[in-house]
Amino acid sequence: MALLGQILFVIALVFGFGFFARNVKKLVRNIRLGKEIDRNDKPKERFANMARVALGQSKMVKRPIAGFLHIVVYVGFVIINIEVLEIIIDGIFGTHRIFSFLGTTYDVLIGSFEVLAFLVFLGVVIFWIRRNVVRIKRFWANEMTGWPKNDANNILYFEMILMVFFLLMNAADFQLQTLGADHYASEGGIVGSFPISQFLVPLIDGLSISTLIIVERTAWWLHILGILFFLNYLYYSKHLHILLAFPNTYYAKLKPQGEFDNLEAVKKEVELMMDPNADPFAAPDASVETEEPEKFGASDVQDLNWVQLLNSYTCTECGRCTSECPANQTGKKLSPRKIMMDTRDRLEEVGANIDSNKGEFKEDGKQLLNDYITKEELWACTTCNACVEACPIGIDPLSIIMEMRRYLVMEESAAPNELNIAMGNIENNGAPWPYNQMDRLNWAEEK
């Protein structure tokens, strides 16, 4: 019977990690649909940024309550899962608490895991209350309906249930050790420290050893299967940031906020115009193969760079960006969070298209612009960088907005009338105002 359990456990592991690897492969494929961009410069600065923002949670604590709770849940959930290594070894080889030879150190570890599990449970309950009872405004915006709303609650329920199974497993284990049950009892006494789960023992006190084994094994199986399920749920969830926050902060833009990238094609043209030695009437070099002009800006996800697509998958949908956006606060349709969610949704749609067409994308008559993100949203942006500053993991919604604006202006000539007037004045008068340069100071002579 024990051997059958070990075989089933190995099958569950192979299936769980195999499905996860498949999803990771699909994730990497989708991100690589974006244009190439070099973000390998200044490795020391990038590692420092990753350590400070992703590991150190430096931007999370700018909102102290949510920041503190997030650190508790984040640290607790990660550290508790260190015990998964022991569970895996015990499950494969049929052992019981294989690391118990560590003695006092093991007792301290198990006790710490239990305290953290209780804190995680408490933190998750508070998060649930903030979201569903207090109903904080940013959690109930227009884009937070359907799956995004349900996904947020699903994650909270998963984490609560996993912590309950963990503590119940330990409580039953503690009771079985106390009763001297075979396979659980140790000559050296109780193995592990149970500062939290010991308070659950009265719930199972009086049960027979065989019944306690069923309780312990059920909680043990549900805990590890729950972890494997949660691992694979990440791909479909906003909780994917658990894995992607680190690369996302490493590859985040290090340039000063407000500094935009130049289009390489336009930059070359300007450099040629400014070169005093260049012949403006020279014929193109016939030996150089003429390339098809690159699209200016972005109208679909394939026109964005891979870091922007990584950003879309990393978005936690926390809404800090939208809550800081002045355009959104004044009632305009723009929501930086929606920009990232729409980008991810379109990217997933493109990925599904490729999967269903044997690795090749076939035109579906849709694109990110208009079908997901409207022009009204794009032109509502004030380019103030508040969304970029507010994001706790370095996501840059503004860069996507600007790329789509570039497409509208340079490919479709679809800028708003006010902007067209300003650009016309710059071209004709050297300034956005409708005055000749010679008349610009006339106001100073008026009495």
Side-chain angles (χ1 to χ4, degrees), residues 173-181 190:
D173 191 296
F174 174 63
Q175 185 75 338
L176 285 165
Q177 291 189 59
T178 303
L179 296 175
I190 302 298

Side-chain angles (χ1 to χ4, degrees), residues 26-89:
K26 186 188 298 185
L27 176 70
V28 172
R29 189 275 314 275
N30 289 353
I31 291 173
R32 285 181 173 172
L33 293 175
K35 291 182 177 180
E36 189 57 42
I37 184 175
D38 183 14
R39 287 286 175 87
N40 294 308
D41 59 322
K42 303 178 181 178
K44 290 184 179 179
E45 287 186 41
R46 294 191 177 280
F47 272 113
N49 188 60
M50 180 177 67
R52 183 176 63 256
V53 178
L55 188 62
Q57 307 278 293
S58 62
K59 297 184 77 174
M60 280 297 304
V61 295
K62 288 186 177 181
R63 300 192 181 191
I65 296 175
F68 174 74
L69 290 172
H70 188 275
I71 289 175
V72 169
V73 173
Y74 168 74
V75 173
F77 197 75
V78 170
I79 293 178
I80 290 165
N81 283 324
I82 293 175
E83 194 186 14
V84 172
L85 177 61
E86 182 180 56
I87 291 176
I88 290 175
I89 294 174

Side-chain angles (χ1 to χ4, degrees), residues 15-16 18 35 70 153 179 253 255 298 306 325 331:
F15 180 79
K35 291 182 177 180
H70 188 275
N153 281 323
L179 296 175
K253 187 170 68 173
K255 293 181 179 180
W306 66 266
C325 175

Side-chain angles (χ1 to χ4, degrees), residues 380-395:
C381 178
T382 66
T383 67
C384 67
N385 265 293
C387 57
V388 183
E389 175 62 28
C391 181
I393 48 177
I395 292 170

Side-chain angles (χ1 to χ4, degrees), residues 239-343:
H239 237 49
L240 193 56
H241 74 275
I242 290 177
L243 305 178
L244 297 185
F246 291 91
N248 194 80
T249 49
Y250 180 85
Y251 291 112
K253 187 170 68 173
L254 297 179
K255 293 181 179 180
Q257 290 189 17
E259 180 179 338
F260 295 113
D261 295 326
N262 291 315
L263 288 174
E264 196 61 33
V266 176
K267 184 179 177 182
K268 288 180 180 178
E269 290 293 328
V270 173
E271 287 175 347
L272 184 62
M273 290 169 59
M274 301 298 289
D275 184 358
N277 300 316
D279 182 1
F281 304 105
D285 189 348
S287 63
V288 178
E289 189 174 329
T290 304
E291 296 181 0
E292 183 178 342
E294 190 178 40
K295 180 194 289 187
F296 293 118
S299 63
D300 210 346
V301 288
Q302 297 96 323
D303 304 321
L304 299 171
N305 65 57
W306 66 266
V307 174
Q308 292 167 323
L309 300 186
L310 173 63
N311 281 180
S312 72
Y313 273 120
T314 311
C315 179
T316 69
E317 299 175 13
C318 66
R320 291 192 181 199
C321 55
T322 295
S323 67
E324 296 290 337
C325 175
N328 186 272
Q329 289 179 10
T330 55
K332 294 181 174 63
K333 287 188 175 181
L334 174 64
S335 167
R337 171 173 56 187
K338 179 179 176 295
I339 296 293
M340 303 313 303
M341 292 169 65
D342 286 342
T343 302

